Amino acid sequence: MKTLYNVGIYCRLSVDDASNAAKARNYIPADESTSIENQRELLSKFAMLNGWVETKTYVDDGYSGGNFQRPGFLEMLEDARKGVIDLILVKDLSRLGRDYVEVGRYVDVVFPSLGCRFVSVLDCLDSEGDSSDMLHFRSLMNDYHLRDLSDKVKSILYSKKASGQYVSSYTPYGYRKSDEDRHKLVIDEYAAGIVRRIYDMRLAGAAYGQIAAALNREGITSPRVYWNQANGKGEWKSPSLWTYATIKTILRNEFYCGTVLMNRFGTRSYKDHTRIDKPEAEWIRRENAHEAIVTVEEWNAVQEINAATKRRFEGRQPPTPKLFTGKLMCADCKAPLSAIAETQRRKNGTSKRYVSYFCSTYGKSGRSVCSWHRIYEQTLVQILTAEIKAHAQAVTLDEASVVERLKRNIARYDAQRLADVQQEVSKLRRRVQELEAMTAKLYEDKYAGVVSEGTFKVLAQKNEQERLAKAERLEALLSEINQAEQETAAIHNWAAIIRKYLNLRELDRAAIDELIDHIEIGERTVVDGQRRQDIKVFYRFVGLVE
C-alpha cells in the first residue's frame, strides 16, 4: 500500500541569487523558477501528483544557503519533531543549503532520525530511493558555488575600499551618505555641530561623563537613535542616552579629521562569520578621504588629553567582582547596579572600606538620567540574611503550607482546571487517532475504487484540517500541563534548598548564586521623617516570595 505522507514544502530565496541581482538591476530577465511563488507552485503540484497531503509551507526569503539558522527552516525541523510533517520537499538541493557538510548531516542523519523522507524534485533525489548516491556530489558543488561567491564578494569589496569608496552600511555620527554617490560621505551639519561641541568641551577640560551629562540634560538625541531616525528605522528600543563610552569613542576616532581606516576586521571563513581582527599589514588607511569635522591640530590636542587621562589611571588594579555583582537591578530603569569601593575616615583617625552599589544608567549618563538607587553591601547582607533565615524557618515548621501558598501565586495552578485539562487531553488524543485511521481507510478505498479521486480529496482535506486543529489544541494543553508541573516541581526544589540555610551565619557568593535570581533596589526616600528603601528579592525557581 502506498504511504500517505504529510508534506512540508520548503522554499528559500537568497539575496545573493544571481537571478535576483540581475532582476534588480534590469540586466536580464529574472529566472521565474527561482522565485518563492514559483517554487511553491511547482512543489504543490508535485505533491498533488504523488497523492501526498500538502500540510504546510515554510519560507525563508532573503536568507543565505550557508546559514542554517533560518526561521522557516527551524520551524520546519520543529514540526518534523512533533510529527506534523513526515516528508520534506524542495525544488532542488541548493534550496535546502549550500554547505555540503551540513546538507549531508541533515539528509543522512537528522531527517531520518525525525522519521522524515527527503525529496529534491529537479535533482531527482529521494532519500528512500536509489538516487541518493548523487546527493553528496551535488551538495559539494553547491558548497563550491557558495565559497566562490564569497571570494568574489570579498575581492570586490577590497577593491572598493582600496579606491577610497565607503562600503559600510553605517556611517559615523556626523556624516551621511551622499545622495549622488552612496560610496561617498558628506557632512551632516546638525550632527557635525554636536561632534565639534564635544571636541571643544574636551579641549576645555571636561571629562567624558561631564560631556555626556550636558548632552543628556539638553535632550540631544544619542547617535544610535539619531541614525535610526535619519534612516527610517523607527523608534529605538533602548533609552536615548549619551554615555561615557559613546563620548570616549567619538573623541578617539580619527575619522573626524578626515582619515579612514578600513579592512581592519574580517570573518574566519565563508561558513564561520565570527568577526576577527586582521593583521595591521592588511589595513587600508586613507587620509583626506572625506571632509573633516575637526582639524588635525584639534584632534591631536584631544588625543594628548586622552593619553594624559589614561596615564593617571595606569597601575591601578582592575575592579574585582563584589559579593552582589550581577545580582542587583535598578527598580526604576531596570539597569544593573555597579559596585564601588570607598574609604571612610573616622574622627578617631581610623578608616574603613565600604562597598556600595548604584544605578549604572545614572553613572554612565554622567548622573543626568535616573538616580543613585544606592545601597551599601553591609546593609544588604543584613537584610538578606534575615529574610533567608525567616523563609528557611517557615519551611522547616510547615513546608506544606508554604508550598501551597506559593502554588497559589502560579497563574496556571488550579486543581480543578488541571483536572478538566487532563480530561480534554484524553478526548483529543482519541479523536486524533480516529481521524488518522479514517484518512488511512479513505486512502485504501480510493485505490480500491470505492471512492472517486474528487471525493477522496475533499474528505481527506476535511479530515486533515480537523486533525491539525485538534493536534494544535492538544499541544497547547499539554504545554499548559507541563508548565504547571515544572513550576510545582520548582517550588518543592526551592523549599528543599532554602531549608539548608536555617542556621545561616555568613552570607557568601555561593549561597547567593544558589538562592538568588536578582534583587530590585528602589530609590531611598523619606516618609514621616524616616528613611525608606524598597528592596525586592527574586529567588531562583519561585521569584518574589511574599
Side-chain angles (χ1 to χ4, degrees), residues 18-82:
S19 60
N20 199 37
K23 181 179 179 182
R25 292 169 176 78
N26 294 318
Y27 291 161
I28 56 174
D31 180 2
E32 288 299 325
S33 67
T34 323
S35 72
I36 294 295
E37 293 75 14
N38 283 278
Q39 288 182 53
R40 184 188 289 114
E41 183 180 356
L42 169 70
L43 297 175
S44 181
K45 288 180 180 177
F46 188 84
M48 181 184 67
L49 290 172
N50 282 275
W52 299 332
V53 178
E54 183 181 332
T55 303
K56 197 169 181 180
T57 299
Y58 308 89
V59 176
D60 283 317
D61 197 355
Y63 286 86
S64 168
N67 171 27
F68 283 81
Q69 298 303 307
R70 317 172 209 136
F73 183 78
L74 295 177
E75 182 187 357
M76 180 178 68
L77 288 181
E78 186 60 28
D79 284 347
R81 290 189 184 95
K82 295 175 181 176

Side-chain angles (χ1 to χ4, degrees), residues 260-303:
V260 62
L261 287 175
M262 295 180 288
N263 211 48
R264 296 175 60 189
F265 309 104
T267 57
R268 288 178 179 170
S269 73
Y270 66 101
K271 294 181 182 179
D272 185 352
H273 296 287
T274 303
R275 194 170 100 155
I276 59 173
D277 295 329
K278 290 188 175 183
E280 192 170 345
E282 296 182 19
W283 293 3
I284 299 174
R285 177 188 175 89
R286 292 186 66 86
E287 296 182 356
N288 301 317
H290 49 265
E291 187 178 355
I293 292 178
V294 298
T295 65
V296 175
E297 292 74 21
E298 288 173 326
W299 192 84
N300 287 332
V302 166
Q303 302 321 301

Side-chain angles (χ1 to χ4, degrees), residues 380-426:
L380 189 55
V381 166
Q382 293 172 354
I383 295 171
L384 193 56
T385 300
E387 179 171 313
I388 290 172
K389 292 172 71 173
H391 288 316
Q393 185 176 23
V395 170
T396 303
L397 292 174
D398 190 355
E399 181 175 341
S401 176
V402 173
V403 168
E404 192 62 30
R405 175 164 53 86
L406 290 175
K407 280 183 179 180
R408 288 196 294 270
N409 292 335
I410 301 175
R412 294 180 179 82
Y413 184 81
D414 182 327
Q416 184 58 49
R417 163 69 180 162
L418 287 177
D420 294 341
V421 167
Q422 291 282 12
Q423 191 173 23
E424 187 179 353
V425 163
S426 298

Side-chain angles (χ1 to χ4, degrees), residues 81-237:
R81 290 189 184 95
K82 295 175 181 176
V84 176
I85 60 172
D86 52 15
L87 189 152
I88 293 172
L89 189 63
V90 298
K91 189 198 77 163
D92 59 62
L93 202 58
S94 66
R95 297 305 94 198
L96 181 68
R98 293 189 182 275
D99 183 331
Y100 78 97
V101 174
E102 282 296 285
V103 169
R105 185 175 72 86
Y106 278 107
V107 174
D108 289 343
V109 180
V110 177
F111 294 160
S113 71
L114 298 175
C116 255
R117 179 177 173 184
F118 173 74
V119 175
S120 174
V121 176
L122 298 188
D123 296 317
C124 298
L125 295 176
D126 188 340
S127 62
E128 290 192 359
D130 298 331
S131 60
S132 60
D133 293 340
M134 289 294 293
L135 183 147
H136 297 291
F137 175 74
R138 293 182 185 275
S139 182
L140 180 62
M141 294 304 297
N142 286 326
D143 186 89
Y144 173 79
H145 170 77
L146 183 65
R147 183 177 63 179
D148 182 58
L149 182 63
S150 175
D151 289 340
K152 288 177 180 177
V153 170
K154 287 179 180 178
S155 177
I156 291 171
L157 287 177
Y158 187 87
S159 297
K160 288 184 175 182
K161 291 174 183 177
S163 65
Q165 297 185 55
Y166 189 81
V167 297
S168 176
S169 301
Y170 298 95
T171 55
Y173 183 70
Y175 290 93
R176 62 178 178 83
K177 291 185 178 181
S178 170
D179 295 331
E180 291 76 24
D181 184 355
R182 302 301 291 171
H183 297 301
K184 182 180 178 182
L185 297 183
V186 294
I187 288 179
D188 179 337
E189 289 301 336
Y190 170 79
I194 305 299
V195 172
R196 293 189 188 101
R197 182 181 170 191
I198 290 171
Y199 272 79
D200 289 341
M201 293 175 72
R202 186 60 168 168
L203 289 170
Y208 299 136
Q210 291 174 328
I211 299 174
L215 298 177
N216 284 325
R217 280 194 295 267
E218 296 177 24
I220 296 174
T221 306
S222 67
R224 180 178 290 179
V225 179
Y226 183 79
W227 188 92
N228 265 21
Q229 293 173 347
N231 290 274
K233 301 296 182 180
E235 292 296 325
W236 190 254
K237 294 180 180 179

